[in-house]
Amino acid sequence: MANSSNKKIKYSLKEKDKVIYCGPNIPGGLLTKYRVFKEGIPEYLDELIDKCPEIKSLFVPIAALPKADRAISTKGTPEQMAYEKVMKFISKGGV
């Protein structure tokens, strides 16, 4: 088990880069896994990200998706912990 609790997720995102969301589906269709955004993270998600900041860390450059998916599947990585926090947020009705 990797002990990465003090590490941050590091993917270089520029404001208008194409990004892909690799987190869990958000109820109501607001955000779905593997949805691509052509010009960075859209503003309409700001309120949701304010409620659950880990959502933002699950947006990655498209080229980084394989690496991010592996990290999400690896217990103890920052990506896996962020994914779990988003799942918990959803299960507690945060959306």
Side-chain angles (χ1 to χ4, degrees), residues 20-79:
I20 188 164
Y21 173 69
C22 55
N25 292 337
I26 303 296
L30 187 62
L31 190 56
T32 55
K33 188 170 190 167
Y34 301 132
R35 183 165 178 191
V36 175
F37 296 91
K38 294 180 182 180
E39 295 186 3
I41 301 169
E43 289 181 13
Y44 75 83
L45 294 173
D46 287 349
E47 186 178 334
L48 181 63
I49 291 169
D50 286 344
K51 292 178 183 176
C52 184
E54 291 79 13
I55 289 171
K56 186 174 183 176
S57 65
L58 295 171
F59 283 91
V60 300
I62 293 172
L65 180 62
K67 179 181 177 183
D69 269 347
R70 279 191 304 275
I72 287 168
S73 299
T74 304
K75 188 173 176 104
T77 63
E79 293 89 346

